[in-house]
Amino acid sequence: MDLIVSPREMQDLARQWRREGRIIAFVPTMGYFHPGHLSLMEYGRTRGDRLVVSLFVNPTQFGPSEDLDRYPRDLARDTELARQVGVDVLYTPTAAEMYPPGYQTYVTVEELSRGWCGASRPGHFRGVATVVLKLFHQVQPQVAVFGEKDYQQLALIRRLVRDLDLEVEVVGRPIVREPDGLAMSSRNSYLSPEERARALCLYRGLCAARDLAATGERRAAPLVAAAREIITATPGTRLDYLGLVDPDTLEAVEVLKGAARLLGAVWVGSTRLIDNLLLKESP
Ligand code: PAF
């Protein structure tokens, strides 16, 4: 496995692979790998004959009072895990090279950035869209793989690719969960044992809504209320949002028709966690 830091070097190698007719699969990450990341890499391995994983804790997607400085990092461990999965290039650009002095160009996916996580994290999705577009130019993938845990991010990147005519297939992959159901996240490492137990309320809430939908309930209000009840009954947590949404536009739906995503975000102590579940209309 090669380690590349320089965007120019990454782009030159990607160009060479393209000339040779290689298919480049790409998994963008912020590192501190867990089995969710590894599942994206394993899938990427099956989709390309070259696999690039980027590891970049992107400062432009963190707000001033967010966790950029304390975001967990372990490059040595990540390098070893990436090697074991069979990654060809671990690409770790620096912030100084990604955003050199004078940098001033940003991309905004207008409507998809506004609600849900966008409402509590102003500027977050502008940072995500910008860095993903830059990474796509540097890595030049034909296939890019993202986790469904960051569902709004996935929808927004699909929109970015369509709107800017990028020739990249965006693939969303299922959430990988702990045995008790908690969605895997690098931020779970912030949780104390007590908070870890409380954090499960988000998944349990989403499941309560899914179970209610399975009984034939199609109205969004009772479905969301079923999830809210479990979360708000859990001490030490604060609900950020819950919404039953159209899977593509992320607009709130009032009635479940076919399938919809139930999105949620919860504060557990000072850690903000997100999760989502597919809800299907019961026949
Ligand atoms: O999902 C993430 O880890 C990040 O938002 C991404 C897509 C790597 C962009 O920094």
Side-chain angles (χ1 to χ4, degrees):
M1 183 178 78
D2 289 326
L3 282 172
I4 294 183
V5 177
S6 147
R8 174 55 64 87
E9 198 187 322
M10 183 68 250
Q11 204 167 39
D12 286 348
L13 180 62
R15 282 210 191 96
Q16 183 196 316
W17 282 343
R18 286 284 201 141
R19 277 197 303 272
E20 293 167 359
R22 305 289 179 197
I23 303 293
I24 305 173
F26 177 43
V27 181
T29 81
M30 298 207 300
Y32 210 66
F33 297 152
H34 52 66
H37 293 113
L38 302 182
S39 77
L40 303 181
M41 296 178 206
E42 273 152 15
Y43 175 79
R45 184 70 287 165
T46 69
R47 292 298 313 275
D49 39 30
R50 291 291 181 269
L51 174 61
V52 178
V53 172
S54 65
L55 192 170
F56 178 59
V57 182
N58 172 37
T60 65
Q61 68 188 74
F62 288 80
S65 58
E66 291 185 352
D67 57 344
L68 173 62
D69 291 337
R70 68 177 188 127
Y71 196 83
R73 292 162 169 90
D74 191 342
L75 182 58
R77 184 175 160 275
D78 286 351
T79 305
E80 188 44 39
L81 289 170
R83 199 187 306 278
Q84 284 168 17
V85 177
V87 170
D88 293 295
V89 169
L90 185 62
Y91 174 44
T92 60
T94 63
E97 275 173 304
M98 290 294 270
Y99 303 108
Y103 188 92
Q104 52 187 286
T105 304
Y106 293 88
V107 190
T108 303
V109 182
E110 299 276 344
E111 279 168 30
L112 278 166
S113 295
R114 277 198 198 115
W116 315 120
C117 284
S120 19
R121 304 188 67 189
H124 169 67
F125 287 118
R126 180 180 90 136
V128 170
T130 302
V131 80
V132 168
L133 184 60
K134 281 173 71 70
L135 290 166
F136 281 180
H137 285 308
Q138 293 159 1
V139 177
Q140 308 202 6
Q142 285 95 335
V143 182
V145 190
F146 293 83
E148 284 184 342
K149 185 175 75 71
D150 296 273
Y151 194 85
Q152 187 171 6
Q153 167 174 281
L154 175 63
L156 176 133
I157 288 162
R158 288 192 199 285
R159 190 73 255 173
L160 172 85
V161 163
R162 280 202 293 270
D163 289 353
L164 298 185
D165 311 303
L166 306 180
E167 292 182 303
V168 184
E169 177 191 345
V170 174
V171 182
R173 298 289 297 164
I175 298 174
V176 177
R177 299 183 179 279
E178 300 283 356
D180 64 1
L182 183 72
M184 290 203 181
S185 162
S186 304
R187 289 190 168 99
N188 290 350
S189 65
Y190 297 152
L191 302 171
S192 69
E194 196 178 41
E195 289 172 337
R196 167 66 183 77
R198 290 172 170 171
L200 201 57
C201 70
L202 177 53
Y203 178 63
R204 286 184 42 238
L206 298 179
C207 289
R210 185 187 57 190
D211 294 347
L212 185 58
T215 69
E217 178 60 75
R218 294 171 58 227
R219 294 165 303 154
L223 293 171
V224 169
R228 185 184 300 118
E229 200 180 315
I230 289 182
I231 296 164
T232 54
T234 308
T237 69
R238 184 165 55 82
L239 180 63
D240 181 352
Y241 67 77
L242 276 168
L244 186 67
V245 303
D246 175 279
D248 298 318
T249 63
L250 303 196
E251 277 166 22
V253 298
E254 287 191 3
V255 176
L256 178 60
K257 283 194 200 110
R261 280 271 164 180
L262 182 58
L263 308 179
V266 168
W267 285 95
V268 182
S270 58
T271 304
R272 186 174 169 282
L273 299 175
I274 58 173
D275 198 351
N276 67 84
L277 220 52
L278 178 69
L279 262 55
K280 286 190 188 141
E281 188 181 346
S282 172

